[in-house]
Amino acid sequence: MHLTPTAAGVFPIAPTPFTADGSLDWASAERLFAWYDGLGADGTTVLGIMGEAPKLEPEESLRIVKVAVAGMPGKPVIVGVSAPGFAAMRRLARDAMEAGAAAVMIAPPPSLRTDDQITGYYGQATEAIGADIPFVIQDYPLTLSVIMTPAVIRRIVMDNPSCVMLKHEDWPGLEKISALRRFEADGSLRHISILTGNGGLFLDFEMERGADGAMTGYAFPEMLIDTVALQKAGRRDDAHDLFDAHLPLLRYEQQPGAGLAVRKYTLMRRGILASDAQRKPGAGLTPAAKAEVDYLLARLARKDARAAL
């Protein structure tokens, strides 16, 4: 099953579960993907920036892919394959697809600056992994420091038929979504799926601008699923009411440097992960921060019973 430009819905970005000593927690990984599947997620993404991919051995990375594919039968699994060199990218991309992945995701290296450098890089990456592998552009300038204009994204998409999706994480980025959909309307851009990131922080309006869903890692993916479904059903106020109830925790989880720790702690509180550990280097939450998350969960539970832990 290959990913297509019609992909839509919510693809949670999976954190990689570790035990306190830094080893992979495979039981938690199996539980995590089965949970995503049971919630009604439309797919999942592994080995992303929040998946601590650079900390994994190659064998661990491939096993994570296999566990995700087994845990979400019949649903697409996207695999982050960004790497400093094309040889490693190609190896992981080919191995992941053999293991049952539906597509790979490629982020630009931070060294790229000009439009020609960016479009050239994606052309070279496509050649390296093979044009038979569908790929996702990861547009995340806040972390990667690479600025992709709508016109650059259009060039990448039109130059590379195997590009099927944009992971949109520009901030602010609402106008970029609108610009890309205008290109599509005037015939200068073929249709691709647009799933949004940034922890879901702007999902309420991103759906209204033409996004097809979300690919992000908030600790309550069912809220993202419900928000997308409500927007698609035309229930705008209901979608915003649900989203607004989660916004304080969503915002807290978006803190640079602390976001993954918050997410893992909340997933541990929810019984999905056995531990909130990150593989070193990586720090957990202080007792004060944990108390703040607990307070936000208690407040959220007044509006959404799923937060009553």
Side-chain angles (χ1 to χ4, degrees), residues 104-108 122 135-139 148 153 156-157 163 165-168 192:
V104 301
M105 182 166 67
I106 302 172
Y122 275 96
F135 76 90
V136 179
I137 304 169
Q138 184 170 14
D139 180 20
M148 296 191 211
I153 292 170
I156 296 169
V157 172
C163 179
M165 179 184 287
L166 170 69
K167 185 185 181 188
H168 172 275
I192 59 166

PDB file of all heavy atoms in Angstrom, residues 104-108 122 135-139 148 153 156-157 163 165-168 192:
ATOM      1  N   VAL A 104       7.811   7.743   2.646  1.00  0.00           N
ATOM      2  CA  VAL A 104       8.870   8.269   3.502  1.00  0.00           C
ATOM      3  C   VAL A 104       8.725   9.780   3.582  1.00  0.00           C
ATOM      4  O   VAL A 104       8.100  10.410   2.722  1.00  0.00           O
ATOM      5  CB  VAL A 104      10.270   7.887   2.986  1.00  0.00           C
ATOM      6  CG1 VAL A 104      10.415   6.376   2.911  1.00  0.00           C
ATOM      7  CG2 VAL A 104      10.566   8.528   1.629  1.00  0.00           C
ATOM      8  N   MET A 105       9.283  10.363   4.616  1.00  0.00           N
ATOM      9  CA  MET A 105       9.262  11.811   4.800  1.00  0.00           C
ATOM     10  C   MET A 105      10.683  12.335   4.797  1.00  0.00           C
ATOM     11  O   MET A 105      11.561  11.780   5.470  1.00  0.00           O
ATOM     12  CB  MET A 105       8.555  12.193   6.103  1.00  0.00           C
ATOM     13  CG  MET A 105       8.450  13.698   6.329  1.00  0.00           C
ATOM     14  SD  MET A 105       7.282  14.125   7.647  1.00  0.00           S
ATOM     15  CE  MET A 105       8.134  13.456   9.089  1.00  0.00           C
ATOM     16  N   ILE A 106      10.905  13.420   4.036  1.00  0.00           N
ATOM     17  CA  ILE A 106      12.240  13.983   3.875  1.00  0.00           C
ATOM     18  C   ILE A 106      12.224  15.450   4.276  1.00  0.00           C
ATOM     19  O   ILE A 106      11.463  16.249   3.727  1.00  0.00           O
ATOM     20  CB  ILE A 106      12.721  13.854   2.413  1.00  0.00           C
ATOM     21  CG1 ILE A 106      12.724  12.382   1.981  1.00  0.00           C
ATOM     22  CG2 ILE A 106      14.105  14.466   2.252  1.00  0.00           C
ATOM     23  CD1 ILE A 106      13.010  12.190   0.496  1.00  0.00           C
ATOM     24  N   ALA A 107      13.066  15.789   5.245  1.00  0.00           N
ATOM     25  CA  ALA A 107      13.249  17.177   5.664  1.00  0.00           C
ATOM     26  C   ALA A 107      14.500  17.732   5.002  1.00  0.00           C
ATOM     27  O   ALA A 107      15.482  17.009   4.804  1.00  0.00           O
ATOM     28  CB  ALA A 107      13.377  17.267   7.179  1.00  0.00           C
ATOM     29  N   PRO A 108      14.518  19.016   4.665  1.00  0.00           N
ATOM     30  CA  PRO A 108      15.715  19.596   4.048  1.00  0.00           C
ATOM     31  C   PRO A 108      16.802  19.838   5.087  1.00  0.00           C
ATOM     32  O   PRO A 108      16.503  20.197   6.228  1.00  0.00           O
ATOM     33  CB  PRO A 108      15.196  20.923   3.487  1.00  0.00           C
ATOM     34  CG  PRO A 108      14.078  21.302   4.411  1.00  0.00           C
ATOM     35  CD  PRO A 108      13.431  19.994   4.819  1.00  0.00           C
ATOM     36  N   TYR A 122      15.765  18.206  -3.301  1.00  0.00           N
ATOM     37  CA  TYR A 122      14.682  17.229  -3.374  1.00  0.00           C
ATOM     38  C   TYR A 122      14.759  16.406  -4.657  1.00  0.00           C
ATOM     39  O   TYR A 122      14.399  15.216  -4.667  1.00  0.00           O
ATOM     40  CB  TYR A 122      13.324  17.915  -3.226  1.00  0.00           C
ATOM     41  CG  TYR A 122      12.952  18.092  -1.761  1.00  0.00           C
ATOM     42  CD1 TYR A 122      13.204  19.291  -1.098  1.00  0.00           C
ATOM     43  CD2 TYR A 122      12.389  17.054  -1.038  1.00  0.00           C
ATOM     44  CE1 TYR A 122      12.898  19.441   0.242  1.00  0.00           C
ATOM     45  CE2 TYR A 122      12.079  17.179   0.300  1.00  0.00           C
ATOM     46  CZ  TYR A 122      12.329  18.383   0.944  1.00  0.00           C
ATOM     47  OH  TYR A 122      12.034  18.516   2.280  1.00  0.00           O
ATOM     48  N   PHE A 135       6.952  10.181  -1.434  1.00  0.00           N
ATOM     49  CA  PHE A 135       7.584  10.911  -0.342  1.00  0.00           C
ATOM     50  C   PHE A 135       6.780  12.139   0.064  1.00  0.00           C
ATOM     51  O   PHE A 135       5.966  12.670  -0.692  1.00  0.00           O
ATOM     52  CB  PHE A 135       9.037  11.279  -0.657  1.00  0.00           C
ATOM     53  CG  PHE A 135       9.238  12.429  -1.612  1.00  0.00           C
ATOM     54  CD1 PHE A 135       9.335  13.737  -1.140  1.00  0.00           C
ATOM     55  CD2 PHE A 135       9.357  12.204  -2.977  1.00  0.00           C
ATOM     56  CE1 PHE A 135       9.542  14.809  -2.005  1.00  0.00           C
ATOM     57  CE2 PHE A 135       9.572  13.266  -3.859  1.00  0.00           C
ATOM     58  CZ  PHE A 135       9.655  14.569  -3.368  1.00  0.00           C
ATOM     59  N   VAL A 136       7.051  12.554   1.295  1.00  0.00           N
ATOM     60  CA  VAL A 136       6.410  13.698   1.935  1.00  0.00           C
ATOM     61  C   VAL A 136       7.466  14.774   2.132  1.00  0.00           C
ATOM     62  O   VAL A 136       8.565  14.488   2.626  1.00  0.00           O
ATOM     63  CB  VAL A 136       5.813  13.298   3.303  1.00  0.00           C
ATOM     64  CG1 VAL A 136       5.166  14.489   3.995  1.00  0.00           C
ATOM     65  CG2 VAL A 136       4.825  12.142   3.149  1.00  0.00           C
ATOM     66  N   ILE A 137       7.150  16.009   1.766  1.00  0.00           N
ATOM     67  CA  ILE A 137       8.022  17.153   2.077  1.00  0.00           C
ATOM     68  C   ILE A 137       7.739  17.580   3.512  1.00  0.00           C
ATOM     69  O   ILE A 137       6.583  17.812   3.877  1.00  0.00           O
ATOM     70  CB  ILE A 137       7.734  18.349   1.163  1.00  0.00           C
ATOM     71  CG1 ILE A 137       7.865  17.997  -0.311  1.00  0.00           C
ATOM     72  CG2 ILE A 137       8.632  19.527   1.524  1.00  0.00           C
ATOM     73  CD1 ILE A 137       7.323  19.086  -1.238  1.00  0.00           C
ATOM     74  N   GLN A 138       8.772  17.716   4.316  1.00  0.00           N
ATOM     75  CA  GLN A 138       8.594  18.291   5.646  1.00  0.00           C
ATOM     76  C   GLN A 138       9.053  19.740   5.617  1.00  0.00           C
ATOM     77  O   GLN A 138      10.239  20.034   5.449  1.00  0.00           O
ATOM     78  CB  GLN A 138       9.362  17.517   6.716  1.00  0.00           C
ATOM     79  CG  GLN A 138       9.088  18.073   8.123  1.00  0.00           C
ATOM     80  CD  GLN A 138       9.636  17.208   9.234  1.00  0.00           C
ATOM     81  OE1 GLN A 138      10.453  16.320   9.003  1.00  0.00           O
ATOM     82  NE2 GLN A 138       9.178  17.449  10.451  1.00  0.00           N
ATOM     83  N   ASP A 139       8.107  20.634   5.788  1.00  0.00           N
ATOM     84  CA  ASP A 139       8.374  22.074   5.754  1.00  0.00           C
ATOM     85  C   ASP A 139       8.281  22.608   7.174  1.00  0.00           C
ATOM     86  O   ASP A 139       7.196  22.901   7.670  1.00  0.00           O
ATOM     87  CB  ASP A 139       7.342  22.760   4.844  1.00  0.00           C
ATOM     88  CG  ASP A 139       7.545  24.265   4.760  1.00  0.00           C
ATOM     89  OD1 ASP A 139       8.654  24.728   5.067  1.00  0.00           O
ATOM     90  OD2 ASP A 139       6.589  24.972   4.396  1.00  0.00           O
ATOM     91  N   MET A 148      10.835  27.617   2.716  1.00  0.00           N
ATOM     92  CA  MET A 148      10.253  27.181   1.447  1.00  0.00           C
ATOM     93  C   MET A 148       9.029  28.036   1.149  1.00  0.00           C
ATOM     94  O   MET A 148       8.034  27.965   1.868  1.00  0.00           O
ATOM     95  CB  MET A 148       9.828  25.713   1.512  1.00  0.00           C
ATOM     96  CG  MET A 148      10.936  24.714   1.722  1.00  0.00           C
ATOM     97  SD  MET A 148      10.322  23.043   1.448  1.00  0.00           S
ATOM     98  CE  MET A 148      11.361  22.120   2.569  1.00  0.00           C
ATOM     99  N   ILE A 153       7.676  25.076  -3.087  1.00  0.00           N
ATOM    100  CA  ILE A 153       6.966  23.809  -2.873  1.00  0.00           C
ATOM    101  C   ILE A 153       6.311  23.357  -4.177  1.00  0.00           C
ATOM    102  O   ILE A 153       6.347  22.167  -4.526  1.00  0.00           O
ATOM    103  CB  ILE A 153       5.935  23.970  -1.749  1.00  0.00           C
ATOM    104  CG1 ILE A 153       6.663  24.186  -0.408  1.00  0.00           C
ATOM    105  CG2 ILE A 153       5.011  22.747  -1.659  1.00  0.00           C
ATOM    106  CD1 ILE A 153       5.769  24.600   0.729  1.00  0.00           C
ATOM    107  N   ILE A 156       8.929  21.738  -6.368  1.00  0.00           N
ATOM    108  CA  ILE A 156       9.290  20.392  -5.912  1.00  0.00           C
ATOM    109  C   ILE A 156       8.220  19.381  -6.315  1.00  0.00           C
ATOM    110  O   ILE A 156       8.517  18.303  -6.832  1.00  0.00           O
ATOM    111  CB  ILE A 156       9.479  20.372  -4.379  1.00  0.00           C
ATOM    112  CG1 ILE A 156      10.662  21.253  -3.969  1.00  0.00           C
ATOM    113  CG2 ILE A 156       9.697  18.939  -3.885  1.00  0.00           C
ATOM    114  CD1 ILE A 156      10.755  21.500  -2.476  1.00  0.00           C
ATOM    115  N   VAL A 157       6.962  19.752  -6.085  1.00  0.00           N
ATOM    116  CA  VAL A 157       5.861  18.847  -6.393  1.00  0.00           C
ATOM    117  C   VAL A 157       5.775  18.571  -7.890  1.00  0.00           C
ATOM    118  O   VAL A 157       5.632  17.421  -8.327  1.00  0.00           O
ATOM    119  CB  VAL A 157       4.534  19.435  -5.880  1.00  0.00           C
ATOM    120  CG1 VAL A 157       3.342  18.594  -6.355  1.00  0.00           C
ATOM    121  CG2 VAL A 157       4.535  19.524  -4.354  1.00  0.00           C
ATOM    122  N   CYS A 163       6.259  12.878  -5.202  1.00  0.00           N
ATOM    123  CA  CYS A 163       5.875  13.701  -4.051  1.00  0.00           C
ATOM    124  C   CYS A 163       4.359  13.693  -3.935  1.00  0.00           C
ATOM    125  O   CYS A 163       3.655  14.128  -4.856  1.00  0.00           O
ATOM    126  CB  CYS A 163       6.385  15.119  -4.211  1.00  0.00           C
ATOM    127  SG  CYS A 163       5.928  16.208  -2.833  1.00  0.00           S
ATOM    128  N   MET A 165       2.650  14.424  -0.662  1.00  0.00           N
ATOM    129  CA  MET A 165       2.130  15.097   0.533  1.00  0.00           C
ATOM    130  C   MET A 165       3.096  16.173   1.005  1.00  0.00           C
ATOM    131  O   MET A 165       4.322  16.047   0.851  1.00  0.00           O
ATOM    132  CB  MET A 165       1.899  14.083   1.664  1.00  0.00           C
ATOM    133  CG  MET A 165       1.385  14.662   2.980  1.00  0.00           C
ATOM    134  SD  MET A 165       1.249  13.408   4.295  1.00  0.00           S
ATOM    135  CE  MET A 165      -0.192  12.489   3.760  1.00  0.00           C
ATOM    136  N   LEU A 166       2.532  17.211   1.600  1.00  0.00           N
ATOM    137  CA  LEU A 166       3.290  18.230   2.317  1.00  0.00           C
ATOM    138  C   LEU A 166       2.950  18.143   3.781  1.00  0.00           C
ATOM    139  O   LEU A 166       1.771  18.184   4.161  1.00  0.00           O
ATOM    140  CB  LEU A 166       2.940  19.625   1.798  1.00  0.00           C
ATOM    141  CG  LEU A 166       3.478  20.814   2.614  1.00  0.00           C
ATOM    142  CD1 LEU A 166       4.997  20.903   2.500  1.00  0.00           C
ATOM    143  CD2 LEU A 166       2.821  22.123   2.179  1.00  0.00           C
ATOM    144  N   LYS A 167       3.994  17.992   4.608  1.00  0.00           N
ATOM    145  CA  LYS A 167       3.786  18.174   6.046  1.00  0.00           C
ATOM    146  C   LYS A 167       4.065  19.643   6.331  1.00  0.00           C
ATOM    147  O   LYS A 167       5.212  20.085   6.335  1.00  0.00           O
ATOM    148  CB  LYS A 167       4.681  17.286   6.895  1.00  0.00           C
ATOM    149  CG  LYS A 167       4.317  17.448   8.381  1.00  0.00           C
ATOM    150  CD  LYS A 167       5.192  16.712   9.325  1.00  0.00           C
ATOM    151  CE  LYS A 167       4.679  16.959  10.756  1.00  0.00           C
ATOM    152  NZ  LYS A 167       5.579  16.425  11.784  1.00  0.00           N
ATOM    153  N   HIS A 168       3.004  20.371   6.588  1.00  0.00           N
ATOM    154  CA  HIS A 168       3.064  21.820   6.696  1.00  0.00           C
ATOM    155  C   HIS A 168       3.274  22.217   8.150  1.00  0.00           C
ATOM    156  O   HIS A 168       2.422  21.974   9.010  1.00  0.00           O
ATOM    157  CB  HIS A 168       1.755  22.407   6.168  1.00  0.00           C
ATOM    158  CG  HIS A 168       1.601  23.873   6.402  1.00  0.00           C
ATOM    159  ND1 HIS A 168       1.100  24.390   7.582  1.00  0.00           N
ATOM    160  CD2 HIS A 168       1.888  24.931   5.617  1.00  0.00           C
ATOM    161  CE1 HIS A 168       1.081  25.711   7.502  1.00  0.00           C
ATOM    162  NE2 HIS A 168       1.545  26.058   6.325  1.00  0.00           N
ATOM    163  N   ILE A 192      -1.947  17.679  -4.016  1.00  0.00           N
ATOM    164  CA  ILE A 192      -1.250  16.856  -3.036  1.00  0.00           C
ATOM    165  C   ILE A 192      -1.982  16.992  -1.709  1.00  0.00           C
ATOM    166  O   ILE A 192      -2.711  17.951  -1.464  1.00  0.00           O
ATOM    167  CB  ILE A 192       0.235  17.255  -2.849  1.00  0.00           C
ATOM    168  CG1 ILE A 192       0.360  18.716  -2.398  1.00  0.00           C
ATOM    169  CG2 ILE A 192       1.043  16.975  -4.091  1.00  0.00           C
ATOM    170  CD1 ILE A 192       1.749  19.066  -1.879  1.00  0.00           C
TER     171      ILE A 192
END
